[in-house]
Amino acid sequence: MKVLVIGAGPAGLVFASQLKQARPQWTIDIVEKNDEQEVLGWGVVLPGKPGQHPANPLSYLDAPEKLNPQFLEDFKLVHHNEPSLMSTGVLLCGVERRGLVHALRDKCRSQGIDIRFESPLLEHGELPLADYDLVVLANGVNHKTSHFTEALAPQVDYGRNKYIWYGTSQLFDQMNLVFRTHGKDIFIAHAYKYSDTMSTFVVECSEETYVRARLGEMSDEASAEYVAKVFQAELDGHGLVNQPGLGWRNFMTLSHDRCHDGKLVLLGDALQSGHFSIGHGTTMAVVTAQLLVKALCTEADVPAALRSFEERALPLVQLFRGHADNSRVWFETVEERMHLSSAEFVQSFDARRKSLPPMPEALAQNLRYALQR
């Protein structure tokens, strides 16, 4: 059995590593369009402790403590300069995305999996289908611009808010959500630490605010300075650091009505992306990766495995999309609620979470099956 994985991000790497562990005699190759050092992003949020939660990709590394994970149990919401502290209800784990990706790549290499970077295969969109029994498309939202097949053409929707992903040396010991009024404008910051020295700092605002503040006309440095002044109370003199390729943009939701076509199958964000406000992107990458590994190891052949994978994975990622879309819309319409008292505002935020579609028992069984070791 020969398997090609396109994309050396968390979804493709966890899939390749777990499949190689289950079927060491199979040949698994990974190709990546970027060079080896180009990994976008700052910190990501994962569920639970490494080794204890199977949806945390750190659980599949030999020495996860080397990535200096940060554990977060408290949530702080700031509205009208009034902080409200509450429990997250679950243990969360912040970790550097770059370090996570490099560690997963090292894990794959140690298992004998070949990873080819700056692959011309991805530049020209020519898939060597005749050379492989299965091709896994795990290259995130980027596959929307590729001509893989008409059947797997994605549905793409864009959110109304602009957002940008910064890093900062200011440490946030809780999951922070800050709503800041700046003149006529409203800015929202999502912040949490992912190491002993750095935090993620995601900022969003309406399109009208973005235009009025002339953020699109500023350099990356000037934009970071402007936003740092808006959140100077939280940053306490620490600056915001930008990364090439992570400028202001509208959030893109990518989704599909099916997971596979012939030898091709979608995984992770290439199958379904979801808004950062619910923080499940990497978690769902692990879940779908595990579902695909189990399908390939239990079904009689590849076509049967892909049918089984779609039956279990698609309803889960569609529920995930419903949760993410509901959350995104709440943030996009927050101006309607800024006049509320802080207590009323927190109640509205909490109601947003409670109004999310419940998980039917059949889907809960699929989730438990995916994460069962």
Side-chain angles (χ1 to χ4, degrees):
M1 179 82 163
K2 293 187 66 177
V3 179
L4 175 64
V5 178
I6 298 177
L13 294 167
V14 170
F15 165 76
S17 174
Q18 291 299 290
L19 184 62
K20 191 67 173 178
Q21 180 173 310
R23 294 292 185 268
Q25 72 276 21
W26 289 7
T27 299
I28 304 173
D29 297 326
I30 302 175
V31 295
E32 166 62 42
K33 72 170 185 175
N34 295 324
D35 65 49
E36 188 167 359
Q37 298 307 313
E38 187 178 351
V39 180
L40 292 179
W42 299 97
V44 292
V45 176
L46 309 170
K49 284 191 174 182
Q52 297 180 12
H53 200 301
N56 186 328
L58 297 179
S59 297
Y60 305 100
L61 299 176
D62 296 328
E65 66 278 0
K66 290 183 178 179
L67 295 181
N68 191 22
Q70 304 293 305
F71 300 105
L72 307 159
E73 298 184 78
D74 296 321
F75 175 80
K76 183 165 76 172
L77 186 152
V78 179
H79 171 257
H80 291 330
N81 292 321
E82 297 180 24
S84 299
L85 193 64
M86 60 200 86
S87 171
T88 61
V90 293
L91 179 66
L92 298 174
C93 172
V95 72
E96 182 193 37
R97 187 177 189 274
R98 183 188 300 272
L100 171 63
V101 168
H102 283 306
L104 288 171
R105 289 173 180 176
D106 290 343
K107 174 75 172 179
C108 287
R109 290 191 188 96
S110 73
Q111 296 172 284
I113 298 171
D114 181 48
I115 306 177
R116 301 195 300 273
F117 294 92
E118 300 180 84
S119 171
L121 162 69
L122 293 176
E123 291 177 11
H124 304 299
E126 298 171 359
L127 299 182
L129 295 178
D131 298 335
Y132 291 92
D133 301 292
L134 178 68
V135 176
V136 180
L137 307 180
N139 56 334
V141 296
N142 293 313
H143 89 94
K144 71 184 175 64
T145 60
S146 302
H147 58 274
F148 287 126
T149 66
E150 183 178 347
L152 295 182
Q155 297 141 24
V156 178
D157 296 310
Y158 289 92
R160 288 166 46 189
N161 277 3
K162 290 283 188 181
Y163 82 99
I164 191 166
W165 191 3
Y166 289 119
T168 178
S169 55
Q170 171 70 310
L171 295 182
F172 294 90
D173 293 327
Q174 305 93 13
M175 296 293 296
N176 277 252
L177 185 57
V178 182
F179 297 84
R180 177 72 65 222
T181 301
H182 186 71
K184 296 180 179 180
D185 299 321
I186 299 168
F187 290 87
I188 308 167
H190 310 246
Y192 55 88
K193 64 179 179 179
Y194 63 82
S195 75
D196 286 338
T197 59
M198 289 293 290
S199 295
T200 272
F201 202 87
V202 178
V203 177
E204 63 176 308
C205 65
S206 68
E207 187 84 32
E208 294 77 14
T209 287
Y210 176 79
V211 172
R212 197 157 43 228
R214 310 181 90 172
L215 289 165
E217 303 172 26
M218 298 181 188
S219 66
D220 290 343
E221 293 74 17
S223 178
E225 289 176 4
Y226 182 97
V227 174
K229 288 179 181 177
V230 173
F231 292 102
Q232 57 185 329
E234 286 70 36
L235 292 170
D236 192 26
H238 293 258
L240 295 175
V241 187
N242 50 36
Q243 203 177 100
L246 289 180
W248 287 97
R249 66 191 68 192
N250 294 75
F251 190 84
M252 187 180 76
T253 299
L254 178 149
S255 60
H256 293 83
D257 293 326
R258 58 184 300 178
C259 298
H260 69 95
D261 181 41
K263 293 181 179 181
L264 304 178
V265 62
L266 300 166
L267 204 60
D269 277 353
L271 172 60
Q272 171 70 67
S273 64
H275 196 252
F276 53 82
S277 62
I278 66 169
H280 290 343
T282 307
T283 301
M284 290 305 296
V286 174
V287 169
T288 54
Q290 290 286 38
L291 281 174
L292 184 55
V293 169
K294 291 191 173 186
L296 289 167
C297 292
T298 56
E299 299 296 336
D301 53 30
V302 169
L306 297 187
R307 289 193 298 270
S308 173
F309 171 69
E310 181 164 292
E311 182 179 335
R312 290 182 181 274
L314 199 57
L316 278 175
V317 299
Q318 288 175 341
L319 181 69
F320 164 56
R321 178 186 178 179
H323 283 201
D325 286 348
N326 281 4
S327 183
R328 173 180 56 79
V329 170
W330 189 91
F331 282 94
E332 290 176 348
T333 57
V334 74
E335 185 176 358
E336 302 170 4
R337 294 175 288 278
M338 286 297 289
H339 68 281
L340 297 174
S341 69
S342 290
E344 292 169 329
F345 192 85
V346 169
Q347 186 177 22
S348 173
F349 178 78
D350 195 45
R352 168 202 67 103
R353 293 189 292 179
K354 291 179 179 177
S355 69
L356 296 176
M359 179 176 288
E361 179 55 30
L363 295 192
Q365 290 178 2
N366 284 346
L367 185 59
R368 289 193 292 269
Y369 173 78
L371 300 178
Q372 186 179 26
R373 295 185 176 181

